[in-house]
Every structure is written in structure tokens, then in C-alpha cells.
Amino acid sequence: MSAVVDTHGHGHEHGDHHGGYSGLMRWVTTTNHKDIGTMYLWFSFIMFMVGGVMALVIRAELFSPGLQIVNPDFFNQMTTMHGLIMVFGAIMPAFVGFANWLIPMQIGAPDMAFARMNNWSFWILPFAGALLIISFFTPGGAPGVGWTLYAPLTVQMGIGMDLTIFAVHLLGMSSIMGSINIVTTILNMRAPGMTLMRMPLFCWTWLITGYLLIAVMPVLAGAVTMTLTDRHFGTAFFNAAGGGDPVLYQHIFWFFGHPEVYIIALPAFGVVSQIIPAFSRKPLFGYASMVYATAGIAILSFIVWAHHMYTVGMPVTGQLFFMYATTLIAIPTGVKVFNWVATMWKGSLTFETPMLFAAGFLFLFTLGGFTGLVLSLVPIDIQLHDTYYVVAHFHYVMVAGALFAAFGGVYFWLPKWTGRMYDETLGKWHFWLTMIFFNVTFFVQHFSGLAGMPRRIPDYPLMFETWNKVSSIGAFGFGISQLLFLYVVLKCIRSGAKAPEKPWEGADSLEWTHLPTPAPYHTFETQPDLR
């Protein structure tokens, strides 16, 4: 099997990957990590647009008080599906796409460890996404229970709930297979000389994320399976009348749900840790401390789940424990923010589009972290629980955190992926429109939440009208801005100027400069032949 590598490091093994197919079957049967990474990225963007349309339905209804556009049942279905599709269909597959594309190249491996399982873990996703969409067309429609699928609401729903449970199972299977693949690739397929503490940080964040996914996805599967048996097989896990407990569901769900937040955030940290040193023209500050901080965040994420549950009536001792454990996460997170800022300090900074998104991420994610710290305090959270303050907080973490990092990563690696340069002016327009409209949408929701506006409701008193109007206008601006992103990417693929050998001058030469030991003999400019 002879490997051929072109000037941009695009290695393809002859005949091996595509089985001689062309056209559509090439994509259905491919085991090439780059093809699979590309499919993940396109799928996630499609789901992002679908979930975005649902968000715009929500914001259109909330533009003014009273019921305008949709009935309350459909409104609840929109909030449920928007959350599920964005988390499991848009953000997570996007970072798995990055992992597929980059990890083999960054560690000098010829491909992922389990190439056929890689193909399978992708092709499960469109079917899972289809099940979620199909649930709208069943009697009773999609489940209108919130994306957390809390019992006992889930017992009353129609067949759409069963389709959703099945979809969650499929999405979880995909995540577990993808994670096993990534962990195995990183641990077993590094090129000679590529020790763990020499890996690019993106590989580290995905190694840790892979372990998190393998640990918590079965927990979610358990929660929805218990829901299924409660619905159809006469069990009473979450039914108080049968001796069960609806709060048990919350414990199981959030034991998955809180590590899940970091499953989304950690790969974003990895992407930003690649972009910032490149555009600062200096190595990442505190490489080892970044690795340990990432691991520390992952470990702590397992012992803070009940901070989502301060209002269920847990003992004060329990509240105290979860409050202290949650505030503790601020320390490793603070280490990361400090190191990113220290990397930029006195660097030769330039602000191309990837760096703009990384800087936007740094500023807004930190703000989201601060509001998270506010919500970690029991007495404050009891007041703000289930208000728009929480919505604002997690959109600062998910959108300004994960999504901004993903946009930055796409702009950063597009020259490598396509061999062409994107339109820098349009990229900057995309950044500024996204940045401004994001803040117009979500910053004002802090005010609504502090004033007591509850979330997940289709109607509200007149006193909340102003900020809801502002928020809705921002949301439509934000949504339309993403069409510009699609245009930039398609224009780059079709007619972009040929990318130079090193599109971000100075970015590639820094790989080894943080190390106390000399670089190994392998430079990773080409793919090694690991026969």
C-alpha cells in the first residue's frame, strides 16, 4: 500500500479507501478519515441550519406578548427539538469531523484505527436525525417536553417520544464508536517520536473527550431506556405512584448532562489552542498546564451534576457540596484562559478570520463562565433557575464557546482541507455580523432572566416585551449571517485562490519550540509510511 502525499499533506492510499467506487457510492463506502471528516462537517452544518430555523420559530413567537404564530404545543416541540438537534446533531458531529480530519495528520498516523467503524459511526447519524424530524409527523407530533426529556412529562407523549428515544440511542452509539476510534488512534498510532506530551493540544482535548463520552453516553442510554420501559412495559422507575421517583431521572440525566457540556467545550478548547499560537507567532504558553487543566476539568465534571437540581429539595449539605465542587471548576478553566492570553501577550498578532473567532471565543466564553459561576451559588440559582438568565448563560458557553471555535477552526484549516484560500473580507464580515447579532440576541436575555422571565414559555407579561423584541431581531440577524458563512465556504471550494504552502506564515514552524527535548527525527510535514 503506497502512500502518496501532495503538497498540502492530502494523503490517499491507492484504491484502498474507496474500493474503486466513484460518485455517491464513494461517499457511502469510504473509509478515508478525510472523507468521513468532511461528511461529519457537512451533516453538522445542515443540522445547524435545521435547528436554527426552529430557534427562529421560537424567537418569532416571542417577538411580542400573546400567541401569534404557533400554538403552545408546537412551541414546546420546537424548544425540545432545537435543543436535541443543536447538541447532538450540530455541535458534537462538527467536532468529530475536526477529529477525523486532523488527528491522524497531527500525530502522523495513516488513518483512523478502525476505518470501517468510522464509516458506520457517521452513517448512523443521518438516520438518527431523520427519526427526530419524522417525529413531527406522528400523531401528537414531536415530544414537547424540553430537550432534557424530564419525567413524568415523557410518559404522556405519543409515538414521537419513542422515535426520539430511539434517535438518542443511535446518536449515543455513534458517539461511543467514534470515541473508541479516536482514543485508540491517539494511543496506538502515533508516529515514532510523537510522545503524548508532544501532541498538539487538539489531540489531547479529544483524547480526554473520548474518555468522557465512553463514560457518560451509556448513562444517557440507561435514562431513556428506563423512560421507554416506564412508557410501555409497566415499570415505575420515574413514577411516584408505583414507588419510583421523577427526581431519579434528573440525577441520571444530569450525570450524563454535565460531562456532556465539557464534551462539547473541550474540543473547542483544543481548536482555540491551535489557532491562538499560530496568529500570535509564538508557542502556546504553559503546554503541560493546559493538558493537566483539561484533565482536571474532565474529572471535576463528574461530581457537579446536581447543580442543575438545586430546586428539587436536596439537603443543604448536598447543595453545599455541589456548589463548592462547581466553583472549583473555575480554577482549571481560569488556567486555560490565562494561558491563552499569555500566549497572545507580546506576540506578533495578526487578526485574520480564524484569530477573530478565537478572540471572540475567548472574550464571550469567559463571560459565559462568569455567569456559570453566578449560577453555581445556591441562593442565586434558586431565584434564577428556569429563567432566561440560564438560557443566556448556556448559549454564551455553547454558541460563543463551541460554535465560535468551530467557525474559527473551519477558516483556519480550510486552506489545508481544500488547497484553496477563502475570501478574507467576507470571512471578517461573517465574524462581525455573527459577533454583533449573537450579543444582541443573548446578552439582553440576562436582563429578562434577572427580571424573572421564565424560559420555555410561548407567552409572557408586557413588562418583558422590550428585551424579547431586541432578542428576536438579533436572532434573525444571526441566522441570516450564517448564510454568508455557507457562501464563503462554497466560494472557497469552487473558485478560491490556490493556497500557499504555509497559508498562515509562521504557524507550522512552532510545533516543537515549547519542548525541553530536541524534536524527533520526524517532522510530520508528510505522512509517514507505517507499513
Side-chain angles (χ1 to χ4, degrees), residues 488-504:
V488 172
V489 172
L490 291 175
K491 184 182 175 201
C492 170
I493 293 168
R494 286 194 179 153
S495 60
K498 191 175 186 308
E501 184 74 16
K502 291 187 177 178
W504 318 117

Side-chain angles (χ1 to χ4, degrees), residues 7-296:
T7 53
H8 292 288
H10 293 177
H12 290 278
E13 273 77 327
H14 292 309
D16 210 12
H17 274 319
H18 303 139
Y21 288 117
S22 61
L24 177 66
M25 283 308 286
R26 172 196 147 181
W27 294 100
V28 174
T29 60
T30 181
T31 52
N32 180 315
H33 69 98
K34 296 171 181 174
D35 287 347
I36 293 168
T38 301
M39 292 195 297
Y40 265 110
L41 289 163
W42 277 113
F43 173 79
S44 81
F45 185 76
I46 292 164
M47 285 285 118
F48 172 59
M49 295 311 261
V50 171
V53 168
M54 294 178 180
L56 294 184
V57 172
I58 294 168
R59 286 310 330 164
E61 176 56 58
L62 291 173
F63 184 75
S64 49
L67 297 174
Q68 277 77 235
I69 297 169
V70 295
N71 67 41
D73 281 341
F74 190 72
F75 183 90
N76 291 342
Q77 294 173 24
M78 286 284 118
T79 54
T80 304
M81 286 296 156
H82 166 69
L84 285 172
I85 284 172
M86 286 304 200
V87 170
F88 296 108
I91 298 180
M92 288 173 70
F95 286 116
V96 180
F98 280 112
N100 267 295
W101 252 104
L102 299 166
I103 287 174
M105 295 199 286
Q106 288 188 337
I107 63 173
D111 204 298
M112 298 295 279
F114 306 112
R116 286 182 194 281
M117 187 165 84
N118 204 14
N119 173 286
W120 192 29
S121 69
F122 170 76
W123 280 109
I124 287 174
L125 289 180
F127 293 96
L131 283 174
L132 290 175
I133 305 298
I134 289 167
S135 69
F136 281 108
F137 303 101
T138 59
V145 295
W147 78 276
T148 49
L149 309 177
Y150 273 3
L153 299 170
T154 45
V155 181
Q156 321 303 338
M157 294 291 149
I159 193 173
M161 185 73 221
D162 300 312
L163 294 181
T164 302
I165 288 170
F166 192 38
V168 168
H169 271 124
L170 290 177
L171 293 160
M173 276 174 63
S174 169
S175 290
I176 290 170
M177 289 197 292
S179 300
I180 290 170
N181 213 341
I182 288 164
V183 169
T184 309
T185 304
I186 292 173
L187 293 183
N188 290 338
M189 296 184 69
R190 301 189 307 281
M194 177 58 84
T195 60
L196 283 175
M197 291 306 279
R198 280 174 172 158
M199 292 195 305
L201 240 152
F202 180 76
C203 299
W204 260 115
T205 55
W206 250 114
L207 177 63
I208 292 164
T209 301
Y211 277 115
L212 280 180
L213 272 166
I214 292 163
V216 302
M217 270 299 167
V219 179
L220 177 66
V224 294
T225 304
M226 290 154 87
T227 301
L228 192 72
T229 60
D230 272 12
R231 283 168 56 79
H232 298 295
F233 300 110
T235 58
F237 292 112
F238 309 132
N239 180 359
D245 184 359
V247 176
L248 173 65
Y249 176 87
Q250 295 192 28
H251 278 291
I252 301 170
F253 179 86
W254 287 116
F255 189 80
F256 147 81
H258 198 79
E260 167 67 22
V261 174
Y262 291 100
I263 286 163
I264 288 168
L266 291 182
F269 294 169
V271 170
V272 169
S273 299
Q274 304 293 118
I275 295 172
I276 288 177
F279 293 94
S280 304
R281 309 298 187 278
K282 58 193 278 251
L284 186 72
F285 181 90
Y287 174 90
S289 64
M290 285 296 245
V291 172
Y292 298 136
T294 308

Side-chain angles (χ1 to χ4, degrees), residues 419-500:
R420 299 174 183 274
M421 291 302 287
Y422 63 88
D423 185 321
E424 186 63 59
T425 308
L426 289 179
K428 286 180 173 167
W429 266 101
H430 173 231
F431 167 74
W432 285 112
L433 288 170
T434 301
M435 180 80 168
I436 290 163
F437 282 124
F438 168 79
N439 282 292
V440 169
T441 306
F442 292 108
F443 194 76
V444 298
Q445 291 182 4
H446 293 103
F447 309 148
S448 302
L450 287 167
M453 165 134 179
R455 60 178 173 162
R456 298 179 185 172
I457 55 157
D459 188 12
Y460 54 86
L462 200 59
M463 61 178 280
F464 298 122
E465 182 178 21
T466 308
W467 295 131
N468 272 296
K469 275 192 161 44
V470 172
S471 195
S472 291
I473 291 165
F476 278 88
F478 183 88
I480 293 163
S481 305
Q482 304 324 308
L483 297 173
L484 178 60
F485 173 67
L486 178 63
Y487 175 73
V488 172
V489 172
L490 291 175
K491 184 182 175 201
C492 170
I493 293 168
R494 286 194 179 153
S495 60
K498 191 175 186 308

